[in-house]
Amino acid sequence: MANDSSKEAGHACCEPRRRGRPLQMDRAQRESIVLDATMDLLARAPLEEVTMADIARHAGMSKRTLYGMFPSREQLLGASLARVSEWLFRPLASEDRGGTLEERLQLILTINPLPYLAGTTLEILRVVIAKAHTYPDLARRIGEEGQSRVIGLVRAELAEGVSAGELTLGEEELDHAATMLVDMVLGNGIRKLLDTAVAERDMDEHPVRRDRAIRIFLDGTRRRDPA
């Protein structure tokens, strides 16, 4: 299922855009086309070389229409990267809700790769971090909408585990617990940004690290019956 979704996302992103748009196209559809076009361009050229004019042209829209949806280039880039986060870590499908807590956490913390982007996302993050003074809102949004989104998904599952009597966490501990688990699974992001080899190795080893981190975390938080 994940592979099919990735292919569909890659296909949609890389399709050539035609000028103009159907009269019945709503704002959400136009925004989707713009975000696809933006990520397609970012996969081909450095972030600093991708202009609003380029994006408008690639999306088959006027700059005026583009600015009507995204008032600034920084806002558009932030929305595009936030969308990548939504693809990489996805909420549980309805058919997966019946699994155990461990199985549900494994699914949420599975990285769904987007082959057509390859290492583009990491390269963009490197540029944003190196020039955070130039892209302050973009850097802030990546932090707030990237890992924070995954933490929110994990927190919801931990809360269910508490309600079901599986975990001993208090309500006030859930935010910290979810953050700790995500950090355990994803590891040191700075090392990945600094060293491409580390990023590639961590991606290959992710399933093993994920499962081990979840087991260690649950072993320390599961409710135990008195001896």
Side-chain angles (χ1 to χ4, degrees), residues 109-145:
L109 290 166
T110 293
I111 298 176
N112 299 284
L114 298 173
Y116 74 95
L117 285 180
T120 301
T121 304
L122 276 178
E123 291 304 320
I124 294 172
L125 291 177
R126 289 187 179 105
V127 172
V128 171
I129 289 174
K131 299 195 174 183
H133 61 288
T134 305
Y135 305 104
D137 292 337
L138 180 54
R140 189 179 307 110
R141 181 164 184 178
I142 289 174
E144 292 175 351
E145 298 189 16

Side-chain angles (χ1 to χ4, degrees), residues 28-199:
Q29 290 174 308
R30 293 200 303 273
E31 287 186 358
S32 180
I33 287 176
V34 169
L35 295 178
D36 282 344
T38 303
M39 292 312 301
D40 190 19
L41 289 173
L42 289 174
R44 306 180 188 188
L47 179 147
E48 294 185 318
E49 294 181 10
V50 176
T51 67
M52 291 292 272
D54 293 332
I55 295 170
R57 189 180 308 111
H58 199 55
M61 299 177 183
S62 68
K63 285 178 63 176
R64 181 175 180 178
T65 299
L66 183 59
Y67 276 104
M69 291 183 284
F70 299 97
S72 71
R73 176 175 173 274
E74 190 170 352
Q75 188 179 74
L76 172 51
L77 293 174
S80 299
L81 292 176
R83 194 182 197 205
V84 170
S85 174
E86 292 176 4
W87 284 335
L88 292 177
F89 295 98
R90 300 171 192 160
L92 293 179
S94 57
E95 61 267 24
D96 298 322
R97 299 296 323 167
T100 65
L101 176 58
E102 182 171 354
E103 291 169 340
R104 300 197 309 271
L105 290 172
Q106 287 173 341
L107 289 172
I108 286 174
L109 290 166
T110 293
I111 298 176
N112 299 284
L114 298 173
Y116 74 95
L117 285 180
T120 301
T121 304
L122 276 178
E123 291 304 320
I124 294 172
L125 291 177
R126 289 187 179 105
V127 172
V128 171
I129 289 174
K131 299 195 174 183
H133 61 288
T134 305
Y135 305 104
D137 292 337
L138 180 54
R140 189 179 307 110
R141 181 164 184 178
I142 289 174
E144 292 175 351
E145 298 189 16
Q147 191 158 324
S148 294
R149 178 178 176 276
V150 185
I151 291 172
L153 294 174
V154 170
R155 187 194 187 285
E157 296 307 318
L158 296 183
E160 283 201 21
V162 171
S163 297
E166 299 176 86
L167 304 178
T168 58
L169 294 168
E171 176 67 26
E172 72 284 357
E173 298 177 294
L174 286 175
D175 288 338
H176 287 156
T179 301
M180 289 172 60
L181 177 54
V182 171
D183 286 346
M184 289 169 65
V185 172
L186 298 184
N188 189 333
I190 298 298
R191 289 178 64 240
K192 298 176 187 179
L193 290 170
L194 295 176
D195 190 336
T196 303
V198 170

Side-chain angles (χ1 to χ4, degrees), residues 9-20:
H11 176 70
C13 177
C14 299
E15 283 184 344
R17 302 296 177 196
R18 295 182 179 179
R19 281 207 164 274

